[in-house]
């Protein structure tokens, strides 16, 4: 294995590893802006049923009614008149990499997706700009009844399931950017894991936004039926352009009685992207959802995955790390709503800010009166690597009954000088010592990921420390 | 309805913690002349105010406090206090007081403000405190109003180099209680400790908004809040420690503990940490829960009556702050008041 203690030459050489661009060679790119005609055009191109178009138009109406948030990072540079909400690449959906156009295949090769699929994944979905270009699932998974397909195919092939669950976890009126999402969504994945089916290998979806001045609005819908279990991994990246890009995706997760879902994300959007993603899970009786999140990219990020512990004895864990470097304002966190009895939530969130980056942890733990005997624990730590940066924690905790046990703790500060000195006295350079301490700080997250992703995450940390991934 | 006592950092309005809404009719109260009892005021200047202090709760409170106050004094303490300056408001009349307290350089001072009523009253307090270089002030406030009273407190503190503030707030429950305390640690090596104890019962609404801005090097600030909630109380606690640029080697700590005695309470806690400076140590913690059943059972097996056991455990939790008090008489009164509050719910 590569020696991760020092920045290896290949990392230095691939300083802009994710920052490679293909020519903006699309089959169709919708005009910039947002209007009823644009929404209808997107729906028409996808040949969608009327009920889905009705949802889009209702969402559009809601978007124009809702106001911009008065809290959080400044979103004034977001101008939809400069963004194309739909870019179709020059290919349809393929189920074999050989059939994917060479340029797009090369993109995903560079990102390691086909190799990962071959080595350790049960299925892969790859989205390029606004459409899924590749989707496949191993035969033995199909035989078990596992459904893993792109969202457009799911609408055609499983309309009853989609109708039953679509927009039921994240309603269209929840906030302005989810309304935008529902108006122009395209791409994404649909997963259904049948009862008592336990997938040993993860499924992965990867999202790559290549086209400049555009947005990605994928919709992921996952249903893990009773007693089943799944690990789903999501990755994303984009090359950097001078103009702002937008990501306003949506993830809806339904974890049925006794089921387990692990949802891992390594987010590495380019530093011109605004990441306004929404993720939510409804967890039923005796079920569990575990969120693992590494956020390294975006110019501005507002990301607050949420677990609704609806069923008795349901539980959730969240382990996340955020890196805010130069020019970044990363306002991330977690939300949990306890409804059922004997529910449990554990949150561990870490942030690192450097070179003027702003890292904000913003959360809510809400325990309703019905959630008797709830147990919640929140730990959020902020590490500042210099005095140009900023670290804020804004946790809101609302407890609605007497039998809840709740605790929250947080720390903010810098790397211990004693720790650096100790490592340097063992022969490490100051830079390597800092990198090692920071990797240790990030360890609660990396140890929950498959090894290959943990290595990738450590590489991203090294890049950020070097200021490489600009 | 007007929005008051706004949080220093806004978040989504759905969480309901950004502000505290009250009815405008609170400002229709008429105030009569009051004559609080003043003790141990030898060598202390009580001047009429040249300019009124500013109320932090809202513009409406500020305008009201400057126009309608029935007790406005500038208190300048130039020498060490042998005994605490005491001001007792116990006339069962509504109070709108506007005070400025200045502690001169190198002076150690102690101040106790007591508010007692058996009738329903309204209290609007505006205090500005200035601690000059190397001064120390220990100030304790005890609010024992009739249950249906309303209590609005605004305290703004500025601490200069090497000054130290110990502020104690004891609130025994009113229909509406809203406190906003802002502490600016302006000088190097300045310190501030804010200790707040609260009791909520019936349908009380309680809003506690404590802000500490650390603006210089090697400062220390601790915010400790501990309370008991019963019946249908709704409580919002917002505690903010902000490390500004230039606050290197400073320490900020915030702890909030809340004991719930009823399934119908709503307790909200937002401990905020803001840091623009790398070389600081900031931490906060928050915990909420009921009285430990095992501890209660243990005491009862030792022959202690259940109600007495509950009192014992509550006082044990609150004692951390009560024992820091600088006046034995005040400590006793507070402990008696705690007993009284718990007995009311027998």
């Amino acid at each position: 294995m590569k020696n991760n203690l020092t920045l290896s030459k290949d990392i230095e050489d691939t300083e802009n590893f994710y920052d490679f661009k293909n020519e903006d060679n699309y089959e169709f790119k919708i005009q910039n802006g947002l209007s009823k005609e644009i929404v209808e055009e997107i729906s028409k191109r996808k040949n969608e049923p009327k009920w889905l178009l009705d949802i889009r138009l209702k969402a559009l109406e809601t978007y124009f009614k809702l106001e911009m948030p008065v809290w959080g990072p400044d979103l004034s540079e977001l101008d939809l008149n400069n963004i194309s909400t739909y870019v179709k690449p020059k290919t349809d959906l393929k189920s074999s990499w050989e059939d994917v156009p060479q340029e797009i295949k090369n993109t995903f090769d560079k990102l390691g997706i086909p190799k990962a699929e071959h080595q350790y994944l049960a299925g892969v979905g790859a989205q390029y700009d606004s459409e899924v270009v590749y989707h496949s699932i191993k035969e033995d998974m199909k035989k078990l009844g596992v459904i893993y397909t792109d969202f457009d195919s799911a609408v055609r092939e499983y309309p009853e399931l989609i109708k039953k669950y679509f927009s039921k976890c994240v309603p269209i009126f929840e906030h302005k950017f989810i309304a935008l999402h529902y108006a122009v969504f395209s791409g994404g994945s649909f997963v259904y894991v049948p009862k008592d089916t336990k997938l040993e290998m993860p499924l992965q979806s990867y999202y790559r936004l290549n086209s400049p001045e555009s947005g990605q609005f994928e919709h992921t819908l996952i249903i893990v039926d009773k007693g089943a279990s799944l690990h789903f991994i999501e990755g994303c990246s984009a090359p950097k352009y001078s103009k702002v890009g937008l990501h306003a995706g949506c993830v809806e997760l339904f974890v049925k009685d006794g089921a387990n879902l692990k949802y891992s994300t390594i987010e590495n959007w380019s530093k011109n992207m605004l990441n306004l993603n929404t993720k939510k899970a409804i967890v039923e009786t005796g079920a569990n959802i575990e969120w693992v999140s590494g956020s390294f990219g975006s110019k501005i990020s507002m990301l607050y995955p949420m677990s609704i512990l609806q069923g008795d004895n349901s539980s959730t864990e969240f382990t996340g790390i955020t890196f805010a470097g130069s020019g970044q304002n990363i306002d991330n966190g977690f939300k949990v709503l306890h409804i059922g009895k004997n529910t449990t939530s554990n949150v561990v969130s870490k942030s690192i800010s450097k070179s003027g980056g702003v890292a904000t942890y913003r959360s809510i733990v809400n325990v309703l009166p019905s959630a008797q005997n709830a147990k919640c624990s929140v730990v959020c730590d902020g590490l500042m690597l210099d005095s140009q940066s900023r670290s804020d924690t804004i946790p809101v905790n609302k407890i609605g009954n007497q039998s809840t046990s709740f605790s929250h703790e947080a720390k903010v500060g810098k790397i211990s000088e004693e720790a650096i000195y100790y490592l340097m006295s063992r022969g490490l350079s100051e830079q390597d010592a800092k990198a090692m301490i920071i990797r240790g700080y990030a360890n609660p997250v990396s140890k929950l990921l498959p090894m290959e992703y943990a290595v990738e995450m450590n590489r991203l940390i090294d890049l950020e420390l070097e200021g490489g991934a600009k | 309805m007007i929005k008051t006592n706004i949080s220093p950092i806004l978040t989504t309005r759905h969480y309901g913690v950004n502000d505290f809404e009250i009815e405008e009719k609170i400002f229709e109260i008429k105030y009569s002349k009051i004559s609080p009892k003043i003790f141990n005021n030898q060598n202390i200047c009580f001047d009429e105010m040249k300019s009124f202090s500013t109320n932090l709760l809202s513009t409406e409170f500020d305008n009201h406090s400057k126009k309608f106050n029935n007790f406005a004094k500038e208190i300048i303490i130039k020498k060490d206090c042998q005994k605490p300056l005491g001001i007792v408001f116990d006339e069962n009349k509504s109070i709108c007081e506007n005070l400025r307290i200045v502690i001169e350089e190198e002076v150690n001072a102690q101040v106790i403000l007591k508010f007692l009523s058996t009738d329903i009253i309204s209290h609007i307090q505006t205090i500005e405190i200035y601690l000059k270089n190397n001064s120390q002030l220990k100030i304790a406030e005890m609010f024992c109003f009739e249950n249906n009273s309303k209590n609005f407190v605004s305290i703004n503190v500025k601490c200069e180099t090497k000054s130290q503030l110990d502020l104690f707030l004891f609130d025994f429950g009113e229909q509406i209680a809203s406190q906003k305390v802002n502490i600016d640690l302006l000088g190097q090596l300045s310190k501030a400790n804010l200790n707040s104890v609260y009791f909520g019962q019936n349908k009380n609404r309680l809003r506690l908004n404590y802000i500490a801005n650390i603006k210089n090097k090697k400062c220390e600030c601790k915010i400790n809040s501990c309370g008991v909630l019963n019946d249908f109380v709704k409580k919002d606690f917002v505690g903010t420690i902000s490390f500004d640029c230039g606050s290197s080697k400073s320490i900020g700590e915030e702890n909030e503990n809340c004991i719930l005695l009823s399934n119908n309470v709503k307790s909200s806690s937002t401990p905020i940490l803001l840091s623009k400076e790398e070389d600081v140590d900031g931490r906060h913690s928050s915990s909420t829960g009921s009285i430990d059943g095992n501890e209660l059972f243990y005491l009862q097996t030792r022959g202690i009556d259940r109600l007495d056991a509950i009192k014992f455990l509550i006082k044990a939790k609150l004692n951390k702050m009560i024992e820091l008090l600088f006046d034995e008489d005040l400590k006793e009164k507070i402990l008696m008041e705690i007993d009284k509050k718990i007995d009311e719910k027998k």
Side-chain angles (χ1 to χ4, degrees):
Chain A
M1 194 198 286
K2 225 185 312 188
N3 177 7
N4 278 325
L5 293 183
T6 54
L7 285 174
S8 55
K9 191 171 184 310
D10 58 340
I11 294 174
E12 287 170 354
D13 287 346
T14 57
E15 190 184 60
N16 297 315
F17 176 73
Y18 294 96
D19 192 19
F20 58 91
K21 304 172 173 87
N22 294 339
E23 215 181 300
D24 194 17
N25 206 7
Y26 47 82
E27 181 181 305
F28 173 77
K29 187 169 183 172
I30 209 158
Q31 73 211 60
N32 290 357
L34 187 65
S35 66
K36 185 170 179 243
E37 291 68 35
I38 285 173
V39 169
E40 284 172 341
E41 177 68 23
I42 293 172
S43 187
K44 185 175 151 197
R45 284 191 165 264
K46 290 174 174 294
N47 215 11
E48 283 177 345
K50 187 175 179 306
W51 66 267
L52 209 44
L53 173 61
D54 289 343
I55 288 179
R56 287 185 186 274
L57 292 172
K58 178 84 189 150
L60 181 70
E61 200 184 304
T62 306
Y63 172 80
F64 286 122
K65 280 185 189 158
L66 291 174
E67 289 177 8
M68 292 286 275
V70 296
W71 52 274
D74 177 12
L75 297 174
S76 54
E77 65 186 315
L78 173 61
D79 182 358
L80 284 178
N81 292 323
N82 295 331
I83 288 180
S84 169
T85 54
Y86 181 75
V87 181
K88 184 173 178 354
K90 273 186 177 171
T91 179
D92 293 323
L93 175 69
K94 305 293 180 199
S95 56
S96 163
W97 283 111
E98 276 62 49
D99 298 332
V100 175
Q102 194 62 42
E103 193 181 52
I104 296 175
K105 182 176 178 301
N106 287 348
T107 297
F108 288 105
D109 269 332
K110 260 188 186 167
L111 296 165
I113 305 304
K115 186 179 170 190
E117 181 189 15
H118 175 69
Q119 288 182 343
Y120 50 78
L121 293 172
V124 159
Q127 178 158 338
Y128 191 85
D129 290 332
S130 299
E131 292 288 2
V132 178
V133 297
Y134 174 84
H135 223 289
S136 87
I137 179 170
K138 287 194 160 73
E139 270 310 308
D140 48 351
M141 296 295 117
K142 280 190 200 169
K143 285 177 189 161
L144 291 173
V146 175
I147 303 170
Y148 179 40
T149 183
D150 66 290
F151 199 81
D152 288 347
S153 301
V155 169
R156 281 191 306 274
E157 294 164 27
Y158 310 101
E160 294 311 316
L161 265 181
I162 300 294
K163 259 191 190 170
K164 185 179 174 187
Y165 288 99
F166 182 67
S167 78
K168 302 299 186 295
C169 184
V170 182
I172 63 171
F173 51 80
E174 184 151 304
H175 59 78
K176 191 171 178 76
F177 299 104
I178 203 62
L180 171 64
H181 166 85
Y182 278 112
V184 297
F185 76 91
S186 175
S189 300
F190 172 68
V191 182
Y192 172 77
V193 184
K195 286 181 195 176
D196 300 319
T197 304
K198 297 182 192 329
L199 269 69
E200 300 297 332
M201 292 157 79
L203 301 175
Q204 177 176 1
S205 285
Y206 198 94
Y207 304 100
R208 177 76 180 173
L209 183 61
N210 181 74
S211 182
E213 296 177 63
S214 60
Q216 199 167 70
F217 306 92
E218 83 288 352
H219 194 95
T220 301
L221 175 57
I222 298 179
I223 304 159
V224 186
D225 215 330
K226 293 182 184 180
S229 103
L230 168 68
H231 181 187
F232 190 88
I233 304 173
E234 179 186 72
C236 52
S237 65
K240 191 177 176 197
Y241 295 104
S242 55
K243 296 265 177 77
V244 154
L246 175 63
H247 174 237
C250 178
V251 174
E252 294 187 286
L253 308 174
F254 295 86
V255 192
K256 301 291 192 180
D257 295 355
N260 284 287
L261 173 59
K262 183 171 176 179
Y263 196 94
S264 303
T265 307
I266 300 290
E267 179 264 298
N268 192 37
W269 292 119
S270 53
K271 304 291 193 318
N272 64 303
M273 288 289 284
L274 306 190
N275 182 24
L276 308 175
N277 211 12
T278 306
K279 300 182 187 181
K280 205 191 272 192
I282 295 178
V283 191
E284 300 193 17
T285 304
N288 170 266
I289 177 160
E290 185 179 358
W291 303 86
V292 181
S293 173
S295 291
F296 296 90
S298 307
K299 181 175 185 180
I300 292 173
S301 175
M302 294 175 78
L303 177 63
Y304 320 102
M306 179 172 187
S307 293
I308 298 175
L309 301 181
Q310 189 164 271
D312 293 348
N313 303 302
S314 53
S315 59
T316 186
E317 283 105 49
F318 175 85
T319 312
I321 185 152
T322 295
F323 199 115
S326 172
Q328 292 183 279
N329 188 336
I330 310 298
D331 194 312
N332 288 354
F334 186 65
K335 300 195 279 190
V336 59
L337 176 63
H338 289 251
I339 302 175
K341 297 187 184 52
N342 307 316
T343 50
T344 311
S345 58
N346 275 303
V347 179
V348 174
S349 173
K350 290 172 181 281
S351 70
I352 302 168
S353 50
K354 173 183 179 279
S355 305
V358 177
T360 302
Y361 172 80
R362 194 184 298 263
S363 72
I364 179 158
V365 171
N366 190 357
V367 180
L368 296 186
S370 57
Q372 297 292 320
N373 297 318
K375 289 181 179 33
C376 335
S377 160
V378 179
V379 173
C380 54
D381 296 336
L383 188 62
M384 296 173 69
L385 301 187
D386 53 56
S387 282
Q388 288 81 47
S389 308
R390 189 166 162 169
S391 177
D392 296 343
T393 62
I394 309 166
V396 177
N397 307 303
K398 301 181 86 155
I399 309 300
N401 69 63
Q402 175 193 14
S403 60
T404 295
S405 295
F406 167 77
S407 71
H408 171 107
E409 56 178 277
K411 285 197 307 283
V412 68
K414 64 174 194 172
I415 297 178
S416 159
E417 281 168 2
E418 286 84 3
I420 296 173
Y421 179 73
Y422 175 83
L423 291 173
M424 287 174 72
S425 71
R426 291 318 187 253
L428 269 67
S429 70
E430 184 179 353
Q431 186 180 302
D432 286 344
K434 280 186 177 174
M436 184 181 236
I437 291 168
I438 289 170
R439 275 197 292 274
Y441 180 76
N443 190 48
V445 180
S446 58
K447 72 181 182 188
L448 293 174
L449 293 168
M451 189 191 73
E452 294 75 12
Y453 298 94
V455 168
E456 185 59 31
M457 196 182 91
N458 283 338
R459 194 157 85 128
L460 281 170
I461 290 174
D462 288 337
L463 275 171
E464 292 295 340
L465 288 177
E466 271 294 291
K470 289 192 171 52
Chain B
M1 300 291 274
I2 55 168
K3 293 188 200 302
T4 69
N5 204 345
I6 294 174
S7 175
I9 295 283
L10 295 181
T11 189
T12 176
R13 65 185 157 78
H14 300 300
Y15 297 172
V17 298
N18 286 340
D19 49 59
F20 187 64
E21 284 195 351
I22 58 163
E23 292 178 350
E24 283 193 74
K25 66 180 184 185
I26 187 70
F27 301 114
E28 293 166 12
I29 304 283
K30 300 288 178 226
Y31 302 97
S32 52
K33 194 169 179 296
I34 56 171
S35 304
K37 300 181 183 69
I38 301 176
F39 304 96
N40 304 319
N41 57 331
Q42 300 87 349
N43 303 319
I44 294 174
C45 293
F46 270 78
D47 290 339
E48 294 310 311
M49 297 189 87
K50 299 173 194 63
S51 63
F52 291 115
S53 299
T54 301
N55 192 294
L56 303 174
L57 291 172
S58 73
T59 315
E60 293 87 354
F61 272 104
D62 190 38
N63 292 340
H64 183 88
S65 166
K66 286 173 175 162
K67 201 170 168 188
F68 295 109
N69 58 79
N70 57 359
F71 185 75
K73 295 289 176 199
E74 193 160 298
I75 302 169
I76 304 172
I77 304 180
K78 295 179 182 176
K79 284 187 182 170
D80 287 1
C81 295
Q82 300 305 320
K83 290 184 182 176
L85 165 66
I87 306 177
V88 180
F89 298 80
D90 61 357
E91 298 165 89
N92 277 340
K93 292 178 185 173
S94 289
I95 309 160
C96 179
E97 99 254 27
N98 194 303
L99 300 176
R100 182 174 292 116
I101 301 174
V102 179
I103 313 300
E104 294 288 4
E105 284 189 26
E106 312 280 344
V107 170
N108 287 357
Q110 295 171 355
V111 177
I112 297 174
L113 302 174
K114 281 188 205 164
F115 299 85
L116 312 165
S117 81
T118 49
D119 279 353
I120 300 172
I121 65 155
S122 165
H123 174 228
I124 297 176
Q125 178 184 79
T126 309
I127 298 183
E128 283 180 357
I129 299 174
Y130 294 88
L131 274 79
K132 302 251 175 110
N133 294 347
N134 283 304
S135 61
Q136 275 193 43
L137 172 64
K138 294 184 184 179
I139 175 169
E141 292 202 71
M142 179 174 161
F143 304 106
C144 291
F145 294 118
E146 194 277 344
N147 277 334
N148 292 305
S149 297
K150 296 173 180 57
N151 185 20
F152 301 95
V153 172
S154 160
I155 301 175
N156 195 4
V157 185
K158 300 214 186 299
C159 296
E160 293 184 11
T161 304
K162 288 191 185 173
S163 61
Q164 180 165 337
L165 169 77
D166 289 285
L167 171 60
F168 297 87
L169 298 171
F170 296 92
D171 192 310
F172 288 97
E174 300 85 27
Q175 189 188 67
I176 298 176
S178 176
Q179 297 177 7
K180 185 165 184 176
V181 178
N182 182 77
I183 300 171
D184 289 334
L185 297 179
L186 300 173
Q188 276 194 44
L189 297 164
S190 52
K191 290 185 188 177
N193 296 309
L194 166 54
N195 296 291
S196 166
V197 171
Y198 56 87
F199 254 87
Q201 56 190 23
N202 302 324
K203 289 185 181 176
N204 293 164
R205 288 173 60 212
L206 186 54
R207 166 89 169 170
L208 307 173
N209 186 1
Y210 304 141
I211 306 156
N213 299 304
I214 302 176
K215 295 178 181 286
N216 214 321
K217 292 183 188 163
K218 298 181 187 174
C219 296
E220 280 182 39
C221 177
K222 283 188 192 164
I223 297 175
N224 290 311
S225 178
C226 189
V228 181
L229 303 179
N230 205 346
D231 302 326
F232 296 86
V233 173
K234 199 172 169 226
K235 175 220 86 181
D236 286 329
F237 169 86
V238 180
T240 307
I241 293 187
S242 173
F243 294 95
D244 286 5
C245 290
S247 62
S248 59
K249 304 256 185 275
S250 292
I251 299 171
E253 194 180 311
E254 190 185 338
N255 301 297
E256 203 248 346
N257 296 292
C258 188
I259 303 166
L260 308 182
L261 299 181
S262 151
N263 256 336
N264 298 307
V265 298
K266 290 192 180 4
S267 168
S268 160
S269 163
T270 310
I272 299 173
L273 259 181
L274 310 172
S275 181
K276 290 181 188 167
E277 180 66 55
E278 168 207 22
D279 190 10
V280 298
D281 181 359
R283 47 188 81 212
H284 68 223
S285 70
S286 171
S287 68
T288 306
S290 60
I291 290 176
D292 187 321
N294 291 332
E295 287 177 355
L296 192 59
F297 179 71
Y298 177 81
L299 291 174
Q300 286 180 271
T301 61
R302 291 317 184 254
I304 298 172
D305 173 70
R306 182 183 165 83
L307 189 62
D308 286 340
I310 289 173
K311 276 188 208 172
F312 189 83
L313 290 169
I314 288 175
K315 281 197 248 184
K317 276 254 190 311
L318 302 179
N319 203 45
K320 277 187 296 199
M321 278 180 271
I322 296 170
E323 68 181 15
L324 296 172
L325 272 173
F326 50 91
D327 185 79
E328 291 304 317
D329 186 49
L330 185 61
K331 267 190 218 179
E332 259 186 60
K333 284 202 165 49
I334 285 167
L335 289 168
M336 273 170 49
E337 197 61 37
I338 293 171
D339 282 337
K340 189 175 142 196
K341 285 291 168 190
I342 299 171
D343 282 336
E344 275 174 20
K345 294 291 154 186
K346 203 189 267 192

